Amino acid sequence: MGHSHLYVFWFLSDSDLSMRTLSTPSPALICPPNSHILQNGRGSSTSSSSITGETIAMVHSPPPTRLTHPLIRSASRLQKERANIDRLPDHSVIQIFSFLPTNQLCRCARVCRRWYNLAWDPHLWRTIRLTGETINVDRALKVLTRRLCQDTPNVCLMLETVIVSGCRRLTDRGLYTIAQCCPELRQLEVSGCYNISNEAVFDVVSLCPNLEHLDVSGCSKVTCISLTREASIKLSPLHGKQISIRYLDMTDCFVLEDEGLHTIAAHCTQLTHLYLRRCIRITDEGLRYLMIYCTSIRELSVSDCRFVSDFGMREIAKLELRLRYLSIAHCARITDVGIRYIAKYCSKLRYLNARGCEGITDHGVEYLAKNCTKLKSLDIGKCPLVSDAGLEFLALNCFNLKRLSLKSCESITGQGLQIVAANCFDLQMMNVQDCEISVEALRFVKRHCKRCIIEHTNPAFF
């Protein structure tokens, strides 16, 4: 009996691959060649092209309602008797399908006619999620959008989210397909897809007016986001048009410069979340442009932007009470002066990452603690001039503190930690790695902050 089932499975796979019509995208569309996918806990190889060495974009018709081969007929009868999932109502099966990634949903569409109809329920296709370095993602997006546009020719109205992070073979052609077919797109994530350019981003933001969330982190060719093809804002008046993006992640966009940030700010005035980590060419001038246009920013990261200094902090402080999250990690030009600007005007700050800002001292921490009393998370690791005196100011003012990182703070001792633990009972995480902290001090913290996870390098404490 076991051999029969194996034979039936092989026969089904071959017969299914012979049907190639514009209907259901095959899992081979989004699986690398000769890869092994787990099915019901067992491995089976997917079909792909052995000639071109790339994944084929194949589509299949709905499974037939009746199977005529005697072996298939007997196997399907056994499966029907044992398949309890067939007893579930349609809405329950659709709910189960909603947890599946795109490639597995395509597989489900090939099981039977009922699953085919349910797998293409519009509610299941608000999101397309593809991952993998070797897949032909351009072709995958073309075939999927073509299938989703069957009821509304040339337009896919239900698709709102496309996530193709890490798909290195994505090119401008793939993004152009999305821009042309998905006018209701609200979220696009293409992080790590270094082949896309400003032209592709221009197409998306121009043709998808509802786009609110854009992640182009690691896309090193992207230097500008605007409604115009020109790089300079001076050469391209806005004519009253704006981009509705609120969340923008440009981490590791190394070529981004102040002029590009100026253009972005002028076109994306509704920004509330902006991440510019390791955009190493950004300076204080770029932040000045940003604060002119984007006055609603709540979260901002300029970590590892080595040219940002205290003058940039003065510009960021113009966000005042709106700013809740700020990361200035490894910005070596920032000192207590910049911290005073932030503390004075941004009193509702909840998160500050100042790791590696070696110019910050106890005076800066004091001013921060006395003005930002609602602070919940603070990272001042690798700030050698911060000592127990600074921790005492934190303990006596920031009672809501939940996360505190002091990694590699050479001047911190167990006494400072005990003062913090005795006052900040809600502490949930403390990092004291590479600090000279005694076992007794660590135990004191654990007794007073029972929910606190302590990250340390003291082998005697466990």
Side-chain angles (χ1 to χ4, degrees):
M1 181 62 68
H3 293 292
S4 298
H5 285 299
L6 289 174
Y7 174 79
V8 171
F9 179 79
W10 176 85
F11 187 87
L12 275 171
S13 299
D14 264 7
S15 62
D16 215 7
L17 290 175
S18 65
M19 299 180 291
R20 303 189 180 185
T21 60
L22 290 179
S23 199
T24 306
S26 164
L29 175 72
I30 43 188
C31 294
N34 302 323
S35 65
H36 293 272
I37 304 298
L38 288 179
Q39 292 184 346
N40 300 325
R42 301 178 181 178
S44 64
S45 60
T46 59
S47 57
S48 58
S49 172
S50 59
I51 299 176
T52 62
E54 66 176 22
T55 302
I56 310 175
M58 293 192 303
V59 287
H60 304 278
S61 63
T65 54
R66 299 192 63 176
L67 301 171
T68 57
H69 193 280
L71 286 175
I72 296 176
R73 189 164 56 246
S74 61
S76 64
R77 191 182 304 116
L78 286 173
Q79 292 172 358
K80 187 175 182 180
E81 292 173 0
R82 297 175 182 175
N84 292 328
I85 194 171
D86 289 340
R87 302 176 185 175
L88 293 177
D90 288 354
H91 66 86
S92 297
V93 177
I94 291 175
Q95 181 66 21
I96 295 173
F97 284 175
S98 68
F99 294 99
L100 299 177
T102 302
N103 61 329
Q104 296 300 329
L105 194 56
C106 289
R107 286 183 178 276
C108 289
R110 300 175 61 191
V111 172
C112 63
R113 184 172 291 274
R114 182 195 180 208
W115 281 28
Y116 173 84
N117 293 328
L118 295 179
W120 288 104
D121 185 281
H123 296 92
L124 296 175
W125 291 95
R126 298 186 188 278
T127 299
I128 288 179
R129 185 188 300 270
L130 302 173
T131 57
E133 296 184 1
T134 59
I135 66 172
N136 190 335
V137 67
D138 288 351
R139 192 177 298 182
L141 290 173
K142 181 177 181 180
V143 175
L144 285 170
T145 52
R146 184 186 303 174
R147 173 57 181 81
L148 295 173
C149 290
Q150 280 190 350
D151 297 330
T152 52
N154 301 322
V155 179
C156 179
L157 297 177
M158 77 281 289
L159 189 61
E160 297 180 352
T161 301
V162 174
I163 301 174
V164 288
S165 300
C167 296
R168 297 187 176 184
R169 294 182 63 186
L170 177 70
T171 67
D172 289 357
R173 183 181 302 175
L175 282 193
Y176 183 73
T177 298
I178 294 297
Q180 289 289 320
C181 300
C182 309
E184 297 298 320
L185 191 69
R186 296 181 180 275
Q187 179 176 344
L188 176 64
E189 297 184 15
V190 291
S191 63
C193 303
Y194 50 73
N195 286 320
I196 67 172
S197 68
N198 288 338
E199 293 294 315
V201 176
F202 166 81
D203 289 332
V204 172
V205 298
S206 300
L207 299 176
C208 303
N210 297 320
L211 188 67
E212 296 181 347
H213 180 119
L214 179 60
D215 183 350
V216 291
S217 57
C219 301
S220 56
K221 294 182 180 179
V222 177
T223 62
C224 182
I225 295 171
S226 68
L227 286 168
T228 56
R229 295 186 182 275
E230 292 82 1
S232 174
I233 186 68
K234 300 175 183 178
L235 300 177
S236 51
L238 298 176
H239 302 299
K241 293 184 179 181
Q242 294 292 323
I243 300 173
S244 58
I245 293 176
R246 298 178 182 274
Y247 178 106
L248 177 60
D249 191 343
M250 297 191 70
T251 298
D252 293 323
C253 291
F254 307 114
V255 192
L256 177 64
E257 297 181 340
D258 290 340
E259 184 179 4
L261 188 57
H262 185 190
T263 303
I264 292 169
H267 285 267
C268 307
T269 58
Q270 300 180 48
L271 279 174
T272 59
H273 297 67
L274 178 61
Y275 306 96
L276 302 172
R277 305 180 188 95
R278 294 180 292 279
C279 292
I280 55 178
R281 301 188 183 186
I282 295 299
T283 71
D284 297 333
E285 185 70 7
L287 295 181
R288 187 179 70 83
Y289 293 141
L290 186 65
M291 296 307 133
I292 293 174
Y293 299 99
C294 303
T295 59
S296 300
I297 291 179
R298 300 177 72 247
E299 294 194 9
L300 176 64
S301 175
V302 289
S303 295
D304 294 282
C305 295
R306 59 192 178 192
F307 295 118
V308 172
S309 69
D310 292 333
F311 294 103
M313 294 300 97
R314 183 179 63 181
E315 296 299 326
I316 293 175
K318 294 177 182 178
L319 294 172
E320 298 182 343
L321 301 181
R322 291 176 291 276
L323 188 65
R324 302 299 176 89
Y325 171 110
L326 177 63
S327 180
I328 52 175
H330 305 292
C331 294
R333 301 189 182 192
I334 294 177
T335 67
D336 288 345
V337 175
I339 295 297
R340 286 173 67 92
Y341 280 124
I342 297 299
K344 181 178 181 180
Y345 296 102
C346 306
S347 60
K348 289 192 176 182
L349 193 68
R350 298 292 188 270
Y351 175 103
L352 176 63
N353 183 357
R355 174 178 294 193
C357 297
E358 298 183 356
I360 297 177
T361 71
D362 289 334
H363 297 294
V365 176
E366 176 186 2
Y367 210 81
L368 181 70
K370 290 182 176 179
N371 289 273
C372 301
T373 57
K374 301 295 184 181
L375 202 64
K376 292 185 177 182
S377 179
L378 176 63
D379 188 340
I380 46 176
K382 297 184 179 180
C383 294
L385 301 180
V386 175
S387 68
D388 292 344
L391 293 188
E392 185 174 354
F393 289 120
L394 279 176
L396 297 179
N397 293 276
C398 301
F399 304 111
N400 296 317
L401 201 62
K402 295 182 182 298
R403 302 175 64 87
L404 177 62
S405 178
L406 306 168
K407 182 177 181 180
S408 301
C409 286
E410 303 169 358
S411 304
I412 296 296
T413 70
Q415 183 179 354
L417 293 193
Q418 291 179 14
I419 296 174
V420 171
N423 291 273
C424 304
F425 303 109
D426 292 333
L427 205 61
Q428 297 176 3
M429 191 284 293
M430 176 182 286
N431 188 338
V432 289
Q433 293 177 334
D434 302 320
C435 297
E436 295 295 331
I437 306 298
S438 66
V439 174
E440 291 74 19
L442 294 176
R443 289 174 179 168
F444 184 91
V445 173
K446 199 62 180 177
R447 282 198 305 270
H448 286 75
C449 305
K450 299 185 182 303
R451 294 185 298 171
C452 183
I453 298 174
I454 305 175
E455 299 180 17
H456 61 92
T457 50
N458 191 330
F461 178 75
F462 54 90

